[in-house]
Amino acid sequence: MDSFPIFISVAGRRVVVVGGGESAARRVRLLLATTAAIVVVAREVDAEIAALARAGRVRHEPHDFSAADLADAALVFAASGDPAVDAEVSGAAQAARVPVNVVDRPALCSFNVPAIVDRDPIMVAIGSDGTAPVLVRGLRARIEALLPARLGALARFAARFRRAVQAVVQGPDARRRFWERFFDGPIAARVLAGDERGAAEAMLSTFNRQGGRAEPGIVTIVGTGPGDPDLLTVRALRLMEQADVVLHDDLVSPEIMARVRRDATRIDVGKRKGRAGIGQEAINDLMVAEARKGRRVLRLKSGDPFVFGRGGEEIEHLRRHGIAAVVVPGITAALGGLAAAGIPLTHRDHAATAVLTTGHRRADRPPVPG
């Protein structure tokens, strides 16, 4: 490698941006995600930087650059747009041993700015030594789609319990195994789903548990849409890759089932008109039983689980039995089928209202009015 990837601490440290135009503003936007003391050196700045200066988020020093501006700087960015000024900044920075980046002039840089995937405090930086910026942007987009939005929250949650784990779990190998199970297990899934309170209670229960009983798992009820795997949500795909047990409807397509984790246990619980299935009560009991074994249970439904999908009944049953449950919506067939045919469900010139109704109800309920 010609470049060695590192992360530099800038907390409370002076970071200098030379320039006041759009190129400088782009560097300032990146730095605003940090706790650095941002200093902009330029006689004039654009409206964005001026507003940030008025708000106290950056410090504007309205003068031409001089080497004295680099005093105590952790980093410097040259983005003046003037080749002579940028070269002067680079020379002064390298003489002062301050890392410097010059916009669009890699030969004058001592460091490059990577594409960043921000899940603070989890950070992913992608670089190509300036050889393929378009490729790097594409990779960043793919990684963004793969990483849960609440990954940073999961890291902070784990940090809260680090000392407790050190006290309860003896030995570095045992602690490593504990954290491996944690990050791949149901408590982490609850954090990623936004249930930090429930996750904290489960974590404390794990510490206090006697007899080595498995911690309760989690059930995620996922809608798979009208059958096209390209219409699955990113979250649905991620959960399909993590599941231990999958209970799927008969209408879930083979193409979608192909996306499920290969070594997951698959149980067909589908029901068809005129063909006996295992019954809704048995499905409910099966979800509870598998979750109580500490497994990540994925309940796959075609369409959307809350549109005639009995998702409401299932989540009520799980909550009555103290099982963590999360719902991930899918595209209901009412929308997906019409969209595929190019027919709008509503149109301000033709249809102002849409009504979704079932063709039949429970056997013990009166029939749907015709």
Side-chain angles (χ1 to χ4, degrees):
M1 294 187 298
D2 291 332
S3 298
F4 185 78
I6 61 173
F7 289 87
I8 297 177
S9 176
V10 295
R13 301 178 67 188
R14 178 181 170 96
V15 176
V16 178
V17 179
V18 180
E22 174 58 26
S23 291
R26 284 198 294 268
R27 293 298 183 257
V28 169
R29 288 176 210 137
L30 285 174
L31 292 167
L32 287 171
T34 74
T35 55
I38 306 168
V39 178
V40 177
V41 177
R43 282 195 176 276
E44 296 181 354
V45 295
D46 68 9
E48 180 180 355
I49 296 176
L52 291 169
R54 289 193 298 271
R57 301 187 67 189
V58 305
R59 177 180 169 186
H60 177 209
E61 297 188 355
H63 58 75
D64 292 333
F65 169 78
S66 72
D69 292 313
L70 302 181
D72 299 321
L75 300 172
V76 59
F77 294 88
S80 71
D82 184 324
V85 172
D86 288 346
E88 180 187 357
V89 174
S90 176
Q94 297 195 52
R97 298 185 181 278
V98 177
V100 59
N101 175 269
V102 182
V103 174
D104 294 332
R105 299 183 72 182
L108 297 181
C109 298
S110 62
F111 75 93
N112 295 310
V113 179
I116 298 171
V117 179
D118 184 0
R119 297 290 188 272
D120 182 41
I122 303 299
M123 305 289 289
V124 180
I126 312 157
S128 67
D129 261 348
T131 60
V134 174
L135 174 61
V136 167
R137 286 198 296 270
L139 291 173
R140 175 186 178 276
R142 294 180 190 179
I143 294 172
E144 281 274 12
L146 289 172
L147 297 182
R150 291 184 53 80
L151 192 63
L154 178 59
R156 290 189 291 272
F157 180 91
R160 284 169 48 196
F161 288 94
R162 187 171 180 179
R163 289 187 179 180
V165 171
Q166 288 177 331
V168 173
V169 184
Q170 301 302 311
D173 289 341
R175 285 193 288 272
R176 175 180 53 79
R177 289 192 295 271
F178 174 90
W179 285 118
E180 287 174 347
R181 292 193 301 271
F182 167 81
F183 286 117
D184 202 33
I187 296 179
R190 294 179 77 160
V191 177
L192 294 175
D195 182 16
E196 288 200 36
R197 179 176 179 180
E201 293 172 353
M203 195 71 157
L204 293 172
S205 177
T206 298
F207 295 149
N208 297 328
R209 188 179 301 113
Q210 300 296 322
R213 297 190 305 273
E215 66 188 41
I218 185 170
V219 177
T220 309
I221 303 174
V222 173
T224 62
D228 185 347
D230 288 339
L231 296 179
L232 289 167
T233 64
V234 172
R235 190 175 183 189
L237 281 168
R238 185 169 61 248
L239 292 165
M240 290 164 69
E241 293 168 355
Q242 296 172 347
D244 298 313
V245 180
V246 180
L247 282 65
H248 62 93
D249 283 351
D250 202 44
L251 292 176
V252 176
S253 71
E255 292 80 8
I256 286 176
M257 290 302 300
R259 305 293 182 95
V260 171
R261 175 179 158 188
R262 290 186 178 181
D263 57 347
T265 300
R266 305 179 185 206
I267 304 173
D268 187 345
V269 295
K271 300 177 288 294
R272 290 273 191 155
K273 181 70 174 177
R275 191 185 74 191
I278 72 170
Q280 188 61 52
E281 293 303 318
I283 295 172
N284 292 347
D285 293 342
L286 189 56
M287 288 190 295
V288 170
E290 293 294 336
R292 283 179 173 166
K293 296 174 185 176
R295 294 173 176 168
R296 290 164 298 185
V297 181
L298 185 67
R299 177 72 174 100
L300 281 186
K301 292 177 169 289
S302 61
D304 185 279
F306 275 11
V307 180
F308 306 130
R310 300 191 185 178
E313 298 174 37
E314 293 178 351
I315 204 165
E316 289 171 0
H317 183 86
L318 292 165
R319 288 172 176 169
R320 281 198 302 271
H321 288 79
I323 302 298
V326 177
V327 176
V328 177
I331 299 174
T332 182
L335 301 176
L338 289 173
I343 302 171
L345 189 63
T346 61
H347 191 295
R348 64 179 184 171
D349 292 333
H350 306 293
T353 304
V355 177
L356 303 181
T357 183
T358 183
H360 58 86
R361 303 176 67 179
R362 293 173 60 129
D364 57 348
R365 300 291 176 89
V368 177

